[in-house]
Amino acid sequence: MSEFTGCGRTDDIDFGDYVNFPYGSEMHIWKVVGAFESNTYMKPPYTFGSEEKIHAGGVVPVLNIIHCGIDETKVIRVRSSDCVKVEVPNPLREALVKIMEVEAPIAEGWETPAYKIAQEALGGEAK
């Protein structure tokens, strides 16, 4: 599987990132499914019946986002500056790296099964 490299990224928030965006009076987590520039977007906070509107003053960076775990079928467009990027830790990757550290072979050919599985999962070739 290929990995997104960030090629063409013009902002620090882009496809695949998670952001906080106001939903009513609370901040909810949304997933970014598109990033571009537009003068049509929804102002915060998002509430039932909110609509995107054309705003004067030129185009600004915007994000297409979906509401994680609530309604992942509805895409809304919001200003990038109204969102706060959420740094999501990857516990699986962290665990695999730890396994490779703990199970590191003392010599070539002495790799444990756990080391080989972790190495393969992280994209390396298990020999």
Side-chain angles (χ1 to χ4, degrees):
M1 181 174 152
S2 62
E3 187 175 322
F4 180 71
T5 61
C7 181
R9 217 175 241 240
T10 57
D11 199 1
D12 65 332
I13 302 174
D14 207 346
F15 177 82
D17 291 336
Y18 290 89
V19 295
N20 275 325
F21 183 75
Y23 183 83
S25 61
E26 300 176 354
M27 292 296 273
H28 283 211
I29 295 179
W30 303 72
K31 184 168 186 171
V32 178
V33 295
F36 52 97
E37 292 185 340
S38 177
N39 65 343
T40 304
Y41 54 88
M42 193 177 298
K43 285 194 165 186
Y46 176 77
T47 56
F48 183 75
S50 293
E51 295 181 6
E52 295 172 356
K53 296 194 167 100
I54 298 174
H55 297 275
V59 297
V60 296
V62 296
L63 306 171
N64 277 347
I65 58 177
I66 57 173
H67 203 172
C68 295
I70 306 294
D71 183 359
E72 297 183 2
T73 62
K74 181 174 173 79
V75 178
I76 65 170
R77 183 176 303 154
V78 298
R79 238 181 350 193
S80 181
S81 61
D82 293 331
C83 298
V84 177
K85 186 174 181 180
V86 176
E87 296 297 333
V88 180
N90 187 337
L92 176 59
R93 179 172 177 69
E94 292 170 7
L96 291 169
V97 169
K98 186 68 172 174
I99 288 169
M100 288 191 68
E101 290 171 3
V102 171
E103 297 285 326
I106 58 172
E108 179 80 25
W110 287 33
E111 295 88 359
T112 65
Y115 180 87
K116 290 178 185 179
I117 291 168
Q119 184 181 32
E120 188 173 331
L122 289 170
E125 298 236 349
K127 297 181 180 178

